[in-house]
Amino acid sequence: LAFHWILFVIFHLSMVWVCMLQHSLAFLVAWEVMSLSSMLLVIFDHDKPKTIKAGINYLVQMHISVTFLTIGFIWVYFQTGSFSFDAFQTYFGANSNVWLFLIFFVGFGIKAGFIPLHSWLPHAHPAAPSHVSGVMSGVIVKMGIYGIFRIISFLKADFLLLGEIVVTISVLTGVYGILNAAVHRDFKRMLAYCTIENIGIIGIGIGLGLMGMGNGSPVLYYLGFGGALLHVLNHSLFKSLLFYSAGSVYQQTHTRVMDKLGGLIKQMPKTAVLFLIGAIAIGGLPPFNGFVSEFILYRGVLEGLKSSNKGQ
């Protein structure tokens, strides 16, 4: 347990470092510390073969992510001679923006959980203890989104094309995530697929913002990026609440199969109320926070359709 909590603190520190560092090699070291510490947190129940398998699957995919990020950083270094993040501005100003952005999108997208780079999520979340799942779903996947935003801030051209690519991948991610969430009976796996769906929703906002930059439409830019960032915050709050509530249910019932559960509101009224609040929020129903950010994003989608019709 002591080792577990030490790793938990290192994991939190590494996420803060990822957000602070301006040197790409130092950023990669912090990113790697984040991946390794979270993997060791996932395999807390290491006596179960399934948990070890989920941990190895997670570790392999995180290293594929690091490989793509390293390729991107080295590419920029060879073109500009600098490992600083400011070198991206120089690179994007002088070269095509599409390929480098896509390399970073794959690298950060594996961490975020965009399809087809999502497959660690449904394995790692059920295997990890619930307090780790809450932080992983609420915060660690958002590090991928943060990385994508950080690269977008340096882009100079090709906004429309990149926006269309991101929106297409994000719509597929959202639909795939929610279809899988609807059929799985293990509630932690269901919540993991729900995370994939919400990453799709956030991605739609990022794509709309890029298209707003390309069209010179400030409304689309603000609705897209604003809605995406607000949904990042909102999702981290209600998804953590749902995972913690799921952990409370599992601790009392020792099962994660929803078909075996029922009538828990009588035995666990506080957990039931908290889970209900999280469920209404994630469903996007008013007056909770999920409704606000999803409404802004859907308003952005309508704005995008309106501006594309005007363009035609």
Side-chain angles (χ1 to χ4, degrees):
L1 268 179
F3 185 53
H4 181 79
W5 290 117
I6 289 165
L7 285 168
F8 201 63
V9 173
I10 292 170
F11 172 47
H12 279 75
L13 280 173
S14 65
M15 290 194 286
V16 174
W17 294 334
V18 161
C19 295
M20 286 165 57
L21 293 166
Q22 299 291 330
H23 189 280
S24 52
L25 291 182
F27 178 90
L28 282 174
V29 171
W31 190 266
E32 190 68 359
V33 170
M34 181 172 74
S35 298
L36 289 171
S37 56
S38 55
M39 189 280 285
L40 291 167
L41 289 169
V42 166
I43 58 166
F44 179 70
D45 294 323
H46 51 81
D47 48 342
K48 295 178 185 169
K50 223 174 180 180
T51 304
I52 294 290
K53 195 176 169 189
I56 291 169
N57 174 16
Y58 173 64
L59 192 64
V60 167
Q61 297 208 39
M62 289 309 105
H63 279 88
I64 294 169
S65 158
V66 167
T67 305
F68 275 96
L69 296 180
T70 307
I71 290 167
F73 286 132
I74 290 171
W75 188 350
V76 173
Y77 174 73
F78 275 121
Q79 294 289 332
T80 62
S82 170
F83 279 118
S84 168
F85 269 82
D86 295 335
F88 284 93
Q89 220 140 5
T90 315
Y91 177 88
F92 283 132
N95 300 279
S96 166
N97 288 202
V98 178
W99 293 110
L100 186 67
F101 176 81
L102 290 177
I103 282 175
F104 277 108
F105 186 78
V106 172
F108 288 123
I110 292 173
K111 185 71 90 181
F114 286 97
I115 65 163
L117 317 163
H118 67 282
S119 59
W120 65 271
L121 272 149
H123 297 290
H125 284 305
S130 292
H131 63 282
V132 176
S133 299
V135 177
M136 284 181 75
S137 183
V139 189
I140 199 170
V141 297
K142 308 307 188 314
M143 288 294 126
I145 298 293
Y146 161 76
I148 292 166
F149 265 110
R150 201 157 172 179
I151 298 303
I152 285 171
S153 68
F154 298 117
L155 288 176
K156 299 279 190 231
D158 302 318
F159 298 115
L160 264 178
L161 173 64
L162 292 173
E164 285 163 5
I165 292 168
V166 173
V167 165
T168 306
I169 293 168
S170 301
V171 168
L172 292 172
T173 301
V175 172
Y176 175 85
I178 208 61
L179 287 176
N180 274 283
V183 296
H184 280 281
R185 312 315 299 156
D186 176 329
F187 56 62
K188 280 183 80 176
R189 185 161 291 209
M190 182 268 288
L191 287 172
Y193 276 112
C194 220
T195 297
I196 294 170
E197 182 246 354
N198 278 276
I199 288 295
I201 291 171
I202 292 164
I204 290 168
I206 294 172
L208 288 172
L210 280 167
M211 289 161 89
M213 287 165 86
N215 285 337
S217 162
V219 179
L220 194 54
Y221 172 83
Y222 287 119
L223 287 173
F225 286 147
L229 287 168
L230 184 58
H231 200 66
V232 164
L233 172 65
N234 290 344
H235 180 256
S236 67
L237 295 171
F238 56 64
K239 182 50 68 76
S240 301
L241 174 65
L242 286 167
F243 265 117
Y244 293 158
S245 304
S248 179
V249 170
Y250 179 68
Q251 208 171 23
Q252 297 298 319
T253 61
H254 301 292
T255 180
R256 293 199 307 257
V257 181
M258 286 190 283
D259 297 337
K260 292 180 183 172
L261 300 169
L264 285 177
I265 195 163
K266 298 184 188 80
Q267 280 85 31
M268 305 174 71
K270 289 175 187 168
T271 303
V273 169
L274 290 170
F275 199 95
L276 191 62
I277 290 168
I280 294 169
I282 204 167
L285 296 174
F288 292 103
N289 59 356
F291 167 74
V292 180
S293 47
E294 289 189 21
F295 179 80
I296 292 170
L297 287 169
Y298 297 144
R299 182 77 189 79
V301 171
L302 294 173
E303 190 64 40
L305 290 170
K306 208 161 75 180
S307 59
S308 69
N309 287 338
K310 271 184 196 168
Q312 285 168 5

Short mmCIF file of all heavy atoms in Angstrom, two decimals, residues 280-302:
data_model
loop_
_atom_site.label_atom_id
_atom_site.label_comp_id
_atom_site.label_asym_id
_atom_site.label_seq_id
_atom_site.Cartn_x
_atom_site.Cartn_y
_atom_site.Cartn_z
N ILE A 280 -26.89 11.63 -14.49
CA ILE A 280 -27.68 12.69 -15.16
C ILE A 280 -26.73 13.68 -15.85
O ILE A 280 -26.97 14.13 -16.97
CB ILE A 280 -28.60 13.43 -14.15
CG1 ILE A 280 -29.67 12.46 -13.63
CG2 ILE A 280 -29.26 14.63 -14.79
CD1 ILE A 280 -30.47 12.99 -12.45
N ALA A 281 -25.60 13.99 -15.16
CA ALA A 281 -24.62 14.93 -15.74
C ALA A 281 -24.01 14.36 -17.02
O ALA A 281 -23.89 15.05 -18.03
CB ALA A 281 -23.54 15.24 -14.72
N ILE A 282 -23.62 13.07 -16.98
CA ILE A 282 -22.98 12.47 -18.16
C ILE A 282 -23.98 12.26 -19.29
O ILE A 282 -23.62 12.24 -20.46
CB ILE A 282 -22.26 11.14 -17.79
CG1 ILE A 282 -21.15 10.84 -18.79
CG2 ILE A 282 -23.23 9.98 -17.68
CD1 ILE A 282 -20.20 9.75 -18.36
N GLY A 283 -25.27 12.16 -18.91
CA GLY A 283 -26.32 12.04 -19.93
C GLY A 283 -26.61 13.36 -20.63
O GLY A 283 -27.36 13.41 -21.60
N GLY A 284 -26.03 14.45 -20.11
CA GLY A 284 -26.21 15.76 -20.76
C GLY A 284 -27.57 16.37 -20.46
O GLY A 284 -28.12 17.12 -21.26
N LEU A 285 -28.16 16.04 -19.30
CA LEU A 285 -29.48 16.59 -18.96
C LEU A 285 -29.31 17.84 -18.08
O LEU A 285 -28.44 17.87 -17.22
CB LEU A 285 -30.30 15.54 -18.19
CG LEU A 285 -30.66 14.27 -18.97
CD1 LEU A 285 -31.34 13.26 -18.06
CD2 LEU A 285 -31.59 14.61 -20.14
N PRO A 286 -30.18 18.86 -18.32
CA PRO A 286 -30.11 20.04 -17.46
C PRO A 286 -30.59 19.66 -16.05
O PRO A 286 -31.36 18.72 -15.92
CB PRO A 286 -31.05 21.03 -18.15
CG PRO A 286 -31.94 20.21 -19.02
CD PRO A 286 -31.18 18.97 -19.37
N PRO A 287 -30.18 20.34 -14.97
CA PRO A 287 -29.37 21.55 -14.95
C PRO A 287 -27.89 21.26 -14.69
O PRO A 287 -27.18 22.15 -14.26
CB PRO A 287 -29.98 22.30 -13.75
CG PRO A 287 -30.33 21.20 -12.78
CD PRO A 287 -30.69 20.00 -13.64
N PHE A 288 -27.42 20.04 -14.93
CA PHE A 288 -26.05 19.69 -14.55
C PHE A 288 -25.03 20.11 -15.62
O PHE A 288 -25.38 20.48 -16.74
CB PHE A 288 -25.95 18.19 -14.25
CG PHE A 288 -26.70 17.80 -13.01
CD1 PHE A 288 -27.94 17.18 -13.08
CD2 PHE A 288 -26.19 18.10 -11.76
CE1 PHE A 288 -28.64 16.85 -11.94
CE2 PHE A 288 -26.88 17.77 -10.60
CZ PHE A 288 -28.11 17.14 -10.69
N ASN A 289 -23.72 20.01 -15.23
CA ASN A 289 -22.66 20.62 -16.05
C ASN A 289 -22.50 19.97 -17.43
O ASN A 289 -22.12 20.64 -18.38
CB ASN A 289 -21.33 20.61 -15.29
CG ASN A 289 -20.89 19.22 -14.89
OD1 ASN A 289 -21.61 18.24 -15.12
ND2 ASN A 289 -19.73 19.11 -14.30
N GLY A 290 -22.80 18.67 -17.56
CA GLY A 290 -22.67 17.99 -18.86
C GLY A 290 -23.54 18.64 -19.92
O GLY A 290 -23.15 18.75 -21.08
N PHE A 291 -24.72 19.09 -19.51
CA PHE A 291 -25.66 19.73 -20.44
C PHE A 291 -25.06 21.01 -21.02
O PHE A 291 -25.16 21.28 -22.21
CB PHE A 291 -26.98 20.04 -19.72
CG PHE A 291 -27.88 20.97 -20.47
CD1 PHE A 291 -28.59 20.53 -21.58
CD2 PHE A 291 -28.03 22.30 -20.09
CE1 PHE A 291 -29.41 21.39 -22.30
CE2 PHE A 291 -28.84 23.17 -20.79
CZ PHE A 291 -29.54 22.70 -21.90
N VAL A 292 -24.40 21.80 -20.14
CA VAL A 292 -23.88 23.12 -20.56
C VAL A 292 -22.84 22.95 -21.67
O VAL A 292 -22.95 23.57 -22.75
CB VAL A 292 -23.26 23.88 -19.36
CG1 VAL A 292 -22.74 25.24 -19.79
CG2 VAL A 292 -24.27 24.03 -18.24
N SER A 293 -21.83 22.10 -21.42
CA SER A 293 -20.75 21.96 -22.41
C SER A 293 -21.24 21.27 -23.68
O SER A 293 -20.85 21.66 -24.79
CB SER A 293 -19.56 21.21 -21.81
OG SER A 293 -19.97 20.05 -21.14
N GLU A 294 -22.12 20.27 -23.54
CA GLU A 294 -22.63 19.60 -24.75
C GLU A 294 -23.52 20.54 -25.56
O GLU A 294 -23.48 20.52 -26.79
CB GLU A 294 -23.38 18.31 -24.37
CG GLU A 294 -22.41 17.23 -23.87
CD GLU A 294 -23.06 15.87 -23.68
OE1 GLU A 294 -24.13 15.63 -24.27
OE2 GLU A 294 -22.51 15.05 -22.93
N PHE A 295 -24.29 21.39 -24.88
CA PHE A 295 -25.13 22.36 -25.59
C PHE A 295 -24.27 23.32 -26.41
O PHE A 295 -24.57 23.61 -27.56
CB PHE A 295 -26.00 23.14 -24.58
CG PHE A 295 -26.87 24.18 -25.24
CD1 PHE A 295 -28.06 23.81 -25.85
CD2 PHE A 295 -26.50 25.52 -25.25
CE1 PHE A 295 -28.85 24.77 -26.48
CE2 PHE A 295 -27.29 26.48 -25.87
CZ PHE A 295 -28.47 26.09 -26.48
N ILE A 296 -23.16 23.79 -25.79
CA ILE A 296 -22.24 24.70 -26.51
C ILE A 296 -21.68 24.00 -27.75
O ILE A 296 -21.60 24.59 -28.84
CB ILE A 296 -21.10 25.17 -25.57
CG1 ILE A 296 -21.65 26.08 -24.48
CG2 ILE A 296 -20.01 25.91 -26.36
CD1 ILE A 296 -20.66 26.40 -23.37
N LEU A 297 -21.30 22.72 -27.59
CA LEU A 297 -20.72 21.98 -28.73
C LEU A 297 -21.75 21.75 -29.83
O LEU A 297 -21.45 21.90 -31.02
CB LEU A 297 -20.15 20.64 -28.24
CG LEU A 297 -18.84 20.76 -27.45
CD1 LEU A 297 -18.50 19.44 -26.77
CD2 LEU A 297 -17.69 21.18 -28.35
N TYR A 298 -22.99 21.38 -29.45
CA TYR A 298 -24.02 21.16 -30.48
C TYR A 298 -24.39 22.47 -31.16
O TYR A 298 -24.69 22.50 -32.36
CB TYR A 298 -25.26 20.48 -29.87
CG TYR A 298 -24.96 19.10 -29.32
CD1 TYR A 298 -25.58 18.62 -28.18
CD2 TYR A 298 -24.03 18.28 -29.96
CE1 TYR A 298 -25.29 17.36 -27.67
CE2 TYR A 298 -23.72 17.02 -29.46
CZ TYR A 298 -24.35 16.57 -28.33
OH TYR A 298 -24.05 15.32 -27.83
N ARG A 299 -24.34 23.57 -30.39
CA ARG A 299 -24.56 24.90 -30.99
C ARG A 299 -23.45 25.17 -32.01
O ARG A 299 -23.71 25.74 -33.08
CB ARG A 299 -24.53 25.93 -29.85
CG ARG A 299 -24.77 27.35 -30.24
CD ARG A 299 -26.24 27.64 -30.50
NE ARG A 299 -26.41 28.96 -31.08
CZ ARG A 299 -26.20 29.27 -32.35
NH1 ARG A 299 -25.80 28.36 -33.20
NH2 ARG A 299 -26.42 30.50 -32.80
N GLY A 300 -22.23 24.75 -31.69
CA GLY A 300 -21.10 24.90 -32.62
C GLY A 300 -21.30 24.09 -33.88
O GLY A 300 -21.00 24.55 -34.99
N VAL A 301 -21.83 22.85 -33.72
CA VAL A 301 -22.10 22.00 -34.90
C VAL A 301 -23.12 22.70 -35.81
O VAL A 301 -22.94 22.76 -37.04
CB VAL A 301 -22.64 20.61 -34.47
CG1 VAL A 301 -23.13 19.83 -35.66
CG2 VAL A 301 -21.55 19.83 -33.73
N LEU A 302 -24.19 23.26 -35.24
CA LEU A 302 -25.21 23.96 -36.03
C LEU A 302 -24.62 25.19 -36.71
O LEU A 302 -24.92 25.49 -37.87
CB LEU A 302 -26.39 24.38 -35.13
CG LEU A 302 -27.21 23.22 -34.54
CD1 LEU A 302 -28.22 23.74 -33.54
CD2 LEU A 302 -27.92 22.45 -35.65
#
